[in-house]
Amino acid sequence: MEQIVEFLKTMIGVWPTAVRSPANQCVFAFLVLLLVLDIARKGWRLSWSRLAVQSVAATIAIFNINLVLAPTIWLLSDQIKALYALAGIPSIPTSAWSAFPVWALMIIAIVAHDFANYWNHRLMHMKWLWPVHAIHHSDPHVNALSAYRIHALETLVMWGSYTILLTWLGLPADAIGMGAVILVLHTIYVHVDVDWDHGPFRLLIASPRFHRWHHANVPEAYGKNLANVFPFFDRVFGTYHVPGPCTAPMGANDVPQNDVVRLTLWPVLEWTRLTLEQIGILRGRIGNMSRRDATLPGQHMAKVDAE
């Protein structure tokens, strides 16, 4: 009983802790600035359609659900870290980075993070992990807040991949912390509803146009533009797709748009469907093999009789 009470206290304390965080305050200020600029650019009446309001409301609800689930995700991520430690993988000692200035370490941390993120993102666009990532693509009105429309399980997948792919680097915590703030701000920026492509720097730093093509609900854009920060990863690995301004619809086929309850349960629902589908395929194969084996003796006897 005491453990349950402590767990509930932890969950209740998540919001105040999140609000007091300087990094989150910086992110909140950036979101307010983007809102002001959007209103100034479009005008209040044109800035918020009914669909946009529904999308933002759904995203905020999903964000709060994730806050409630955060302690559980932290516990699970700690288990991943413990398993990684048991593997005994050698790592670069943190002291080895002491000769580098903080700004250089921050750049190294951002590049390494985006390389890892490219590959976990690529995995999440595959069949069995797509149900987790599909929640992020469910938004039919991609905007700055869409960066926070992610399923709690996606956070776990991402943390797990970072633990496996980045822990061995042994980068100092301050460089990682500053890099993390920049990454969050950039993630928000690329989801803003503007057609900016960064001109000659478009392969160096991801732009809103680059990322809108990632969210485009057209076949030629599926599984494209998987890097969050550096589009040259997509160019190198053959997943770059920016043919021009993106006027394609946003969202994902067969995924609920703004139904928060269904989106929260979506990975379980889809994994159940996929499992039943695979069971059906396996039964079909077993049935075909049984029928084929059953006909073989008869065919053999018919051949003997004919002789």
Side-chain angles (χ1 to χ4, degrees):
M1 186 64 184
E2 290 180 0
Q3 292 179 340
I4 296 175
V5 172
E6 286 300 318
F7 180 74
L8 291 174
K9 286 182 179 179
T10 302
M11 289 196 299
I12 293 171
V14 166
W15 246 115
T17 302
V19 171
R20 287 193 298 267
S21 167
N24 288 340
Q25 290 174 355
C26 180
V27 169
F28 180 73
F30 185 55
L31 286 169
V32 171
L33 176 62
L34 290 176
L35 176 61
V36 171
L37 291 175
D38 189 49
I39 293 172
R41 185 170 63 95
K42 296 181 180 178
W44 177 258
R45 292 180 180 274
L46 296 177
S47 294
W48 294 93
S49 66
R50 179 176 296 181
L51 181 60
V53 172
Q54 292 173 348
S55 291
V56 168
T59 299
I60 292 173
I62 291 169
F63 175 74
N64 280 278
I65 290 171
N66 288 343
L67 282 180
V68 172
L69 296 174
T72 302
I73 299 301
W74 291 338
L75 290 173
L76 292 174
S77 67
D78 284 342
Q79 295 303 311
I80 295 174
K81 292 175 183 176
L83 290 173
Y84 179 87
L86 287 174
I89 299 172
S91 62
I92 299 173
T94 302
S95 58
W97 300 102
S98 59
F100 292 82
V102 175
W103 64 265
L105 294 177
M106 184 178 66
I107 293 174
I108 293 172
I110 291 173
V111 173
H113 181 280
D114 202 50
F115 182 76
N117 206 62
Y118 173 87
W119 289 106
N120 72 43
H121 199 175
R122 190 159 182 165
L123 286 173
M124 286 191 290
H125 274 263
M126 299 178 74
K127 185 175 182 179
W128 286 94
L129 281 180
W130 169 247
V132 173
H133 187 56
I135 283 72
H136 182 60
H137 282 266
S138 67
D139 198 338
H141 189 278
V142 176
N143 57 80
L145 281 176
S146 300
Y148 291 95
R149 185 185 282 224
I150 57 174
H151 199 280
L153 289 176
E154 178 170 340
T155 305
L156 183 63
V157 171
M158 293 167 68
W159 283 358
S161 69
Y162 301 152
T163 298
I164 295 168
L165 296 174
L166 302 178
T167 301
W168 66 273
L169 282 172
L171 288 167
D174 54 350
I176 294 174
M178 288 187 289
V181 174
I182 293 173
L183 286 170
V184 170
L185 294 177
H186 181 266
T187 300
I188 294 170
Y189 163 70
V190 295
H191 286 90
V192 175
D193 184 11
V194 292
D195 184 39
W196 297 344
D197 71 343
H198 296 175
F201 302 104
R202 61 184 176 275
L203 290 179
L204 183 61
I205 301 295
S207 66
R209 178 186 290 184
F210 169 85
H211 199 69
R212 287 192 79 77
W213 273 112
H214 175 69
H215 279 269
N217 191 17
V218 289
E220 59 269 25
Y222 296 162
K224 304 296 185 181
N225 300 356
L226 299 168
N228 275 4
V229 182
F230 302 114
F232 56 75
F233 285 137
D234 286 282
R235 179 70 85 179
V236 169
F237 297 115
T239 51
Y240 184 84
H241 181 77
V242 184
C246 182
T247 57
M250 303 289 106
N253 292 332
D254 303 321
V255 180
Q257 289 187 338
N258 294 317
D259 187 332
V260 175
V261 174
R262 286 188 67 200
L263 286 172
T264 302
L265 298 174
W266 191 249
V268 175
L269 295 174
E270 278 297 283
W271 286 332
T272 300
R273 182 186 67 80
L274 289 171
T275 301
L276 293 175
E277 184 180 275
Q278 291 300 312
I279 291 173
I281 293 172
L282 183 60
R283 283 178 175 174
R285 289 176 179 173
I286 293 173
N288 289 337
M289 291 175 62
S290 299
R291 285 192 293 272
R292 185 180 62 189
D293 292 343
T295 57
L296 286 176
Q299 292 174 352
H300 178 70
M301 291 302 296
K303 184 178 180 180
V304 171
D305 291 342
E307 291 176 352

